[in-house]
Amino acid sequence: MAMKSDNAKKGLERAPHRSLLKAGGFTDWEIERPWVGVVNSYNSIIPGHTHLNRITAAVKAGVYAGGGLPLEFPVIGICDGIAMNHEGMKFSLPSRELIMDSIEVMARGHALDALVLVTNCDKIIPGMAMAAAELNIPALVISGGPMLAGVHGRKDIDLSTVFEAVGRRVVGSISDEELREVENNACPTCGSCSGMFTANTMNCMMEALGFALPGNGTIPAVFAERERLAKEAGRQIMCLVEKDIRPRDILTDKAFENAVAVDMALGGSTNTALHLPAIAHMAGIDLPLEKLDEISRKTPHLCSMSPSGPYHIQDLYFAGGVQGVMKRLSEKGLIHTDIPTVTGENVAKNLEKIRVKDNEIIRHLDNPYHKTGGIAVLKGNIAQEGSVVKQAAVAPEMLVHQGPARVFNSEEEASRAILGKGIKDGDVVVIRYEGPKGGPGMREMLSPTSSLAGMGLDKKVALITDGRFSGATRGAAIGHVSPEAAAGGNIALIEEGDIIEIDIPAGTLNVRVSEEDLATRRSQWKPYQNDMESSFLSRYREFVTSGSKGAVFRG
C-alpha cells in the first residue's frame, strides 16, 4: 500500500531526504516503516501535562512494536486555571486554532502517514481533534488522564473548591489558614483537574466519539493502567494504518450524536457546545446548538459529578467509566451502537462485556438525577442565536428567575463589584464584550461565578455573558450569548436595572424591553472598545465566528 511518507523517502531523488533522517539516527529499515507523528503537548506549566513525556514514550513504544516509525513533535498548551481572570484567558480559546494549524503544518510538511495525539487539557484536546478531522489520515487520541481529587477535612475537593474558597474568605466564613490548606490540598497529583470540568469532559467526549480507546476519559493519570493504555494506543494506530481507517470514517453524524448524549448524561462542561461543533465542522458535519438541545431533552442526567455533585473522575472510573455510561444509554436506544470506533470494532462490540459497578455514580435510566441532560440551550431577545447553561449545576430555585440587570463591560469590572460586595440578592450580572470578537478570545468566567458561589449567592444571583464558563462553574451561569455584544447583539443594548427573565426549563432568555425601545437604543449604540495590544488577537478578532457556531474561523 502506498504511503504519504513515500513522497519524502522513496526513489533516487529522495536520497537527500533519507540522508537527513539518517543524521537523526534512523536506519534504512526504520525509514521504510509508516511514519507516525506522535504529537506531544507536554509542558512544565500545565499540571495535566507535566507527565506527558512518560505517556508519549509509551505511545512510541507501542508504535514501534506495531511496526511503525514514531516521530515525535510538540504543540503549545495553555492552563486555563493559571490563565484565569487576567489577560491570559484571552489567549486560551484562540490557542485551539493555533494547535490545529501547527499539527497540519507538521503533518503535511513531513508527509506523515498517521497521528497519535497525546493531550490532556481544555483547548488542546479539541485543537488536536480538529486537526485530525481536517487532515483525515489515520489518527487517534490518548489523554494523560485525570488528576486524583484532593482531600480536606475528610471531604474530596478539587480546583473549583479553591476558587470558591476565595469567595468564602471575602465574606469571612473561612480564615487565611483554611484557605491556604485548601490551596495546598486541592490538586494533589498530575493530571487534568479532577472534576467534570472542560478537560475531563473533552477526554470523555473523545472516547464517546469512538476516537479514543475505552478508558481514555477516566483512567487516573497516576495509575499504571494509563501507561498501558498509551502503549495500546501506539499499537492500535498501526491497525488503523493497515486497514486505512481514517478520522472521517469514525467522526460521523451518529458519532457526534453519541458524544452529545454522553455529555448530557455526564453533566459535562458547557464548553462542549463550542468544541464539539468545531470538531464536527472540520469533519464536514453541521452540529448546531438546536441538535444539542434536542438530544438534551431526551437524555437523562445520570452522573452527579463535581462541580454540581459530589463525585470525581476517579469515582466514575471505578463505577464503569464512559463505557459504563454508554452501556446505560444503549439500554433504551439513546446512542447508536452500529458505528465504528478506533478499536476496530463498533460500539456494540465494545460494550459487550461492560457492566456498571456502582448504580449511584452511574444511575439507571429510570432513576436519573434529572430527567433531561446536563446542558440546556436558551434563546430569546437577548440571545437570538442561542446561549448555553449547565442546568445540572443550577439550584432548583434559580431555574426560573427574574431580576434587575447589573451591567459590566468586562470581567474585571464585574469581579470588582462582586468582591466589593456590590451585588445583591436577585441581581442578574451581565458581563458583555467578552465574546470571541469582543474579548477577544471569549474568556471563561470562573472567578466571578466561583466568588458568587463562595459568598453564598449562587442560589440568589444569576450571571449572563457573551463569554463562556469553565467546566468548574456552578450556579445560574448562562454563557455563549449570541450574537455577542461586539457584533451588535442585543446583550450590548441592556441597561442597568432592566429586568432580565430567565426560564431554563422553557429554554428562554429575555430582557423586558420592547422591540421599539431596543431599536431606539440600537440607533444610539456605540461599540465598547477594550484595551488590546496584541497583533495575534487582532488577527483572531478578524477571522473568528460566533460562539453559536463553535467560534471557528470563517471560510
Side-chain angles (χ1 to χ4, degrees), residues 17 42 54 62 100 123 157 191 235 260 270 297 343 347 356 374 392 408 422 452 454 495 515 548:
H17 306 62
Y42 163 82
R54 177 170 56 86
M100 175 182 68
K123 305 319 142 309
I157 62 173
R235 291 207 330 154
V260 173
T270 53
R297 291 183 183 278
T343 66
V347 172
V356 175
F408 305 95
L452 289 170
E495 295 180 355
E515 289 300 317
S548 65

Side-chain angles (χ1 to χ4, degrees), residues 257-417:
E257 289 174 5
N258 279 4
V260 173
V262 172
D263 187 28
M264 299 307 167
L266 290 171
S269 167
T270 53
N271 280 314
T272 54
L274 280 175
H275 299 320
L276 285 179
I279 299 166
H281 174 76
M282 300 313 298
I285 293 170
D286 185 32
L287 184 64
L289 288 180
E290 289 79 8
K291 174 61 74 172
L292 274 67
D293 194 49
E294 173 192 327
I295 295 173
S296 178
R297 291 183 183 278
K298 66 182 182 183
T299 307
H301 176 216
L302 303 179
C303 305
S304 186
M305 308 297 294
S306 175
S308 55
Y311 301 115
H312 291 82
I313 305 301
Q314 67 210 47
D315 302 310
L316 181 61
Y317 163 74
F318 287 116
V322 173
Q323 299 298 302
V325 176
M326 295 182 76
K327 183 79 167 185
R328 280 279 194 261
L329 294 174
S330 71
E331 292 169 1
K332 290 190 177 179
L334 293 174
I335 60 170
H336 305 283
T337 59
D338 60 342
I339 57 175
T341 72
V342 294
T343 66
E345 306 286 355
N346 65 17
V347 172
K349 185 69 174 179
N350 292 343
L351 296 180
E352 274 186 2
K353 297 181 180 180
I354 299 298
R355 64 184 183 90
V356 175
K357 303 169 187 174
D358 190 313
N359 293 324
E360 185 62 19
I361 295 172
I362 305 175
R363 286 194 172 184
H364 284 284
L365 291 168
D366 58 2
N367 182 38
Y369 286 97
H370 301 94
K371 292 182 179 180
T372 56
I375 295 174
V377 176
L378 312 183
K379 288 189 173 183
N381 67 355
I382 296 177
Q384 293 109 317
E385 293 178 5
S387 61
V388 295
V389 61
K390 191 173 186 175
Q391 62 180 346
V394 179
E397 57 266 42
M398 290 298 292
L399 290 170
V400 178
H401 177 77
Q402 65 179 37
R406 301 298 310 281
V407 182
F408 305 95
N409 288 333
S410 70
E411 179 188 0
E412 287 83 0
E413 288 182 15
S415 291
R416 285 193 292 269

Side-chain angles (χ1 to χ4, degrees), residues 525-537:
W525 171 65
K526 294 181 180 179
Y528 170 80
Q529 292 290 333
N530 55 25
D531 294 330
M532 183 185 65
E533 296 181 3
S534 168
S535 59
F536 168 67
L537 291 180

Side-chain angles (χ1 to χ4, degrees), residues 173-195:
S173 63
I174 61 171
S175 65
D176 288 336
E177 290 74 17
E178 185 171 358
L179 175 59
R180 181 55 64 89
E181 288 178 10
V182 171
E183 173 188 329
N184 287 342
N185 291 291
C187 300
T189 71
C190 63
S192 46
C193 297
S194 59

